[in-house]
Amino acid sequence: MTLFDELEFSNLQLDQHGSLAVLTINRPKALNALNSDTLTEIGQVVDLIAENADISALIVTGAGEKAFVAGADISELSELNNVYSGRELSLSGQEVMQSLNNLPLPTIACIQGFALGGGLELALACDIRIASPRARMGLPEASLGVIPGFGGTQRLPRLIGAGRALDMLITGRQVDAEEALQMGLVNYVSDEPLSKAREVAEQMIRNAPISLALIKEAVRRGAHISVEEGMEIEADLFGMAVATSDFAEGTRAFLDKRRPEFKGE
Ligand code: DAK
């Protein structure tokens, strides 16, 4: 019996392995494309995980080997025809991606196959990305007459630099796993991306959970301000870290030459 056994979703699956949650987008007939119901369900899962102290990391992946997520659902997108409905959809999708991005625990996108448009934006909302050698990533929105609406124009340049991001955005070209690794779009390439994601998640969650939350907060808040202002934030958060009992445990364990037992306190 796991925390998620009672829950049912139409477009995704949520599994628990110890303290690790795995969210699998599952719409094989549309290569896992994100329609509004799927986005709503992702938002529900993120809220659930944010409230659940027993979960310490989240892996996001797509069902099957062909696609992580092949973008926003084009049949649904094609019905958008005015500024207000487009803006509303964009804001609600952005809210889901932001809440994923703001989770205090580590999040890993495990990309097999296509991660296009909204699919790449979903992966960009995670902390790190792990791709299979056959993964292909791109933001082809301009070829459909739109622009990325779930954070792609903002997150991609911050991750890989404006020049590389503009190349991908304006050409709409797909990059393969090797190029994505070279440009820092993905962190690891592995023949077994899900096993690799679990391995990296295990490595992350051996560390003190409050430290992980504070690191994520420091990086997120520091991204758009001066180094001096960022240092202030870092000092504040450092102060919070040293006041935790996990800090006392971590330092004591080092001196005792044993593994620390962190409690998230
Ligand atoms: N939406 C809906 N259905 C999709 C889909 C998608 N994004 N991608 C694939 N499918 C469906 C196909 O229609 C096909 O359905 P059937 O014909 O079998 O019924 C099935 O999945 C299998 O796809 P293919 O037959 O095309 O498979 P192939 O191997 O030949 O090609 C492919 C794989 C990934 C290269 C191809 O499917 C493809 O190009 N897919 C579309 C990729 C794409 O352009 N995605 C959209 C990116 S743009 C916004 C908010 C968000 C966004 C924009 C605005 N606002 C709020 C304004 C985001 C936009 C995007 O994501």
Side-chain angles (χ1 to χ4, degrees):
M1 180 81 181
T2 73
L3 292 169
F4 308 135
D5 281 350
E6 312 273 295
L7 302 171
E8 279 199 22
F9 299 97
S10 311
N11 305 294
L12 51 87
Q13 195 182 319
L14 185 59
D15 299 298
Q16 188 190 352
H17 307 272
S19 69
L20 182 61
V22 180
L23 163 60
T24 307
I25 313 297
N26 188 11
R27 289 189 72 221
K29 63 179 190 306
L31 298 185
N32 305 326
L34 301 176
N35 60 6
S36 41
D37 287 348
T38 312
L39 277 170
T40 303
E41 290 188 349
I42 296 172
Q44 288 167 352
V45 167
V46 171
D47 290 347
L48 200 71
I49 285 174
E51 288 159 11
N52 199 313
D54 292 333
I55 298 299
S56 41
L58 171 67
I59 294 174
V60 180
T61 192
E65 297 209 340
K66 191 160 173 188
F68 170 72
V69 168
D73 190 301
I74 297 174
S75 49
E76 207 174 79
L77 274 188
S78 68
E79 284 164 22
L80 293 175
N81 58 6
N82 69 69
V83 172
Y84 301 104
S85 57
R87 187 176 149 75
E88 284 308 306
L89 178 70
S90 182
L91 288 174
S92 62
Q94 285 172 358
E95 195 178 313
V96 170
M97 302 298 168
Q98 275 300 89
S99 49
L100 172 60
N101 192 244
N102 292 347
L103 276 175
L105 43 81
T107 55
I108 302 176
C110 170
I111 304 172
Q112 323 208 40
F114 294 105
L116 302 175
L120 183 55
E121 292 174 293
L122 177 65
L124 286 168
C126 295
D127 296 330
I128 69 162
R129 285 145 293 282
I130 296 177
S132 80
R134 291 164 301 286
R136 297 193 67 85
M137 288 146 268
L139 291 170
E141 281 84 348
S143 71
L144 295 168
V146 277
I147 70 168
F150 300 149
T153 62
Q154 302 306 305
R155 288 204 173 92
L156 188 64
R158 285 171 167 89
L159 182 66
I160 63 173
R164 286 172 164 156
L166 282 167
D167 171 39
M168 285 182 69
L169 284 157
I170 293 174
T171 63
R173 74 186 178 89
Q174 294 176 9
V175 300
D176 62 18
E178 193 185 330
E179 186 178 358
L181 185 64
Q182 272 170 16
M183 59 168 69
L185 175 54
V186 302
N187 302 73
Y188 303 92
V189 176
S190 167
D191 284 323
E192 299 287 342
L194 196 53
S195 309
K196 180 70 185 173
R198 288 175 68 162
E199 178 195 319
V200 174
E202 294 298 337
Q203 194 179 358
M204 290 170 161
I205 65 184
R206 277 202 288 272
N207 293 321
I210 296 175
S211 295
L212 303 187
L214 295 175
I215 286 168
K216 286 188 63 167
E217 185 180 340
V219 171
R220 191 171 56 241
R221 288 173 59 196
H224 322 303
I225 54 178
S226 70
V227 171
E228 288 73 18
E229 290 168 298
M231 294 297 188
E232 285 286 322
I233 290 173
E234 188 179 83
D236 289 345
L237 299 176
F238 183 88
M240 289 166 74
V242 299
T244 63
S245 44
D246 278 351
F247 171 65
E249 164 64 7
T251 46
R252 200 180 315 115
F254 176 82
L255 296 173
D256 293 348
K257 301 191 189 307
R258 60 172 172 83
R259 275 194 168 216
E261 282 178 36
F262 293 122
K263 295 198 165 67
E265 293 165 0

